PDB file of all heavy atoms in Angstrom:
ATOM      1  N   LEU A 467     -16.771  -7.216   6.691  1.00 97.00           N
ATOM      2  CA  LEU A 467     -17.911  -6.913   7.627  1.00 97.00           C
ATOM      3  C   LEU A 467     -18.392  -5.418   7.517  1.00 97.00           C
ATOM      4  O   LEU A 467     -19.572  -5.145   7.485  1.00 97.00           O
ATOM      5  CB  LEU A 467     -17.541  -7.232   9.074  1.00 97.00           C
ATOM      6  CG  LEU A 467     -17.337  -8.725   9.402  1.00 97.00           C
ATOM      7  CD1 LEU A 467     -16.829  -8.858  10.908  1.00 97.00           C
ATOM      8  CD2 LEU A 467     -18.691  -9.422   9.224  1.00 97.00           C
ATOM      9  N   ALA A 468     -17.459  -4.571   7.414  1.00 98.00           N
ATOM     10  CA  ALA A 468     -17.718  -3.105   7.276  1.00 98.00           C
ATOM     11  C   ALA A 468     -18.431  -2.867   5.966  1.00 98.00           C
ATOM     12  O   ALA A 468     -19.390  -2.054   5.900  1.00 98.00           O
ATOM     13  CB  ALA A 468     -16.447  -2.265   7.408  1.00 98.00           C
ATOM     14  N   ILE A 469     -18.011  -3.596   4.949  1.00 97.00           N
ATOM     15  CA  ILE A 469     -18.631  -3.415   3.623  1.00 97.00           C
ATOM     16  C   ILE A 469     -20.111  -3.952   3.664  1.00 97.00           C
ATOM     17  O   ILE A 469     -21.067  -3.248   3.111  1.00 97.00           O
ATOM     18  CB  ILE A 469     -17.831  -4.248   2.531  1.00 97.00           C
ATOM     19  CG1 ILE A 469     -16.535  -3.567   2.242  1.00 97.00           C
ATOM     20  CG2 ILE A 469     -18.603  -4.393   1.215  1.00 97.00           C
ATOM     21  CD1 ILE A 469     -15.520  -4.349   1.515  1.00 97.00           C
ATOM     22  N   ASP A 470     -20.344  -5.102   4.270  1.00 97.00           N
ATOM     23  CA  ASP A 470     -21.702  -5.683   4.250  1.00 97.00           C
ATOM     24  C   ASP A 470     -22.583  -4.748   5.026  1.00 97.00           C
ATOM     25  O   ASP A 470     -23.723  -4.582   4.618  1.00 97.00           O
ATOM     26  CB  ASP A 470     -21.662  -7.045   4.969  1.00 97.00           C
ATOM     27  CG  ASP A 470     -20.879  -8.152   4.041  1.00 97.00           C
ATOM     28  OD1 ASP A 470     -20.719  -7.894   2.876  1.00 97.00           O
ATOM     29  OD2 ASP A 470     -20.451  -9.176   4.581  1.00 97.00           O
ATOM     30  N   ALA A 471     -22.206  -4.200   6.126  1.00 98.00           N
ATOM     31  CA  ALA A 471     -22.997  -3.307   6.930  1.00 98.00           C
ATOM     32  C   ALA A 471     -23.239  -2.037   6.162  1.00 98.00           C
ATOM     33  O   ALA A 471     -24.457  -1.569   6.093  1.00 98.00           O
ATOM     34  CB  ALA A 471     -22.315  -2.918   8.238  1.00 98.00           C
ATOM     35  N   ALA A 472     -22.225  -1.529   5.492  1.00 98.00           N
ATOM     36  CA  ALA A 472     -22.370  -0.182   4.817  1.00 98.00           C
ATOM     37  C   ALA A 472     -23.291  -0.342   3.616  1.00 98.00           C
ATOM     38  O   ALA A 472     -24.073   0.574   3.287  1.00 98.00           O
ATOM     39  CB  ALA A 472     -21.000   0.249   4.264  1.00 98.00           C
ATOM     40  N   ASP A 473     -23.307  -1.462   3.055  1.00 96.00           N
ATOM     41  CA  ASP A 473     -24.174  -1.784   1.889  1.00 96.00           C
ATOM     42  C   ASP A 473     -25.650  -1.677   2.364  1.00 96.00           C
ATOM     43  O   ASP A 473     -26.437  -1.224   1.573  1.00 96.00           O
ATOM     44  CB  ASP A 473     -23.910  -3.228   1.407  1.00 96.00           C
ATOM     45  CG  ASP A 473     -23.989  -3.288  -0.088  1.00 96.00           C
ATOM     46  OD1 ASP A 473     -23.803  -2.187  -0.790  1.00 96.00           O
ATOM     47  OD2 ASP A 473     -24.377  -4.330  -0.605  1.00 96.00           O
ATOM     48  N   LYS A 474     -25.915  -1.948   3.657  1.00 97.00           N
ATOM     49  CA  LYS A 474     -27.196  -1.772   4.155  1.00 97.00           C
ATOM     50  C   LYS A 474     -27.410  -0.444   4.791  1.00 97.00           C
ATOM     51  O   LYS A 474     -28.369  -0.143   5.484  1.00 97.00           O
ATOM     52  CB  LYS A 474     -27.442  -2.872   5.188  1.00 97.00           C
ATOM     53  CG  LYS A 474     -27.377  -4.287   4.611  1.00 97.00           C
ATOM     54  CD  LYS A 474     -27.843  -5.347   5.721  1.00 97.00           C
ATOM     55  CE  LYS A 474     -27.549  -6.779   5.263  1.00 97.00           C
ATOM     56  NZ  LYS A 474     -26.249  -7.219   5.808  1.00 97.00           N
ATOM     57  N   GLY A 475     -26.433   0.474   4.586  1.00 97.00           N
ATOM     58  CA  GLY A 475     -26.599   1.836   5.098  1.00 97.00           C
ATOM     59  C   GLY A 475     -26.062   2.068   6.531  1.00 97.00           C
ATOM     60  O   GLY A 475     -26.252   3.159   7.146  1.00 97.00           O
TER      61      GLY A 475
END
Side-chain angles (χ1 to χ4, degrees):
L467 288 175
I469 290 166
D470 292 342
D473 217 27
K474 298 189 189 94

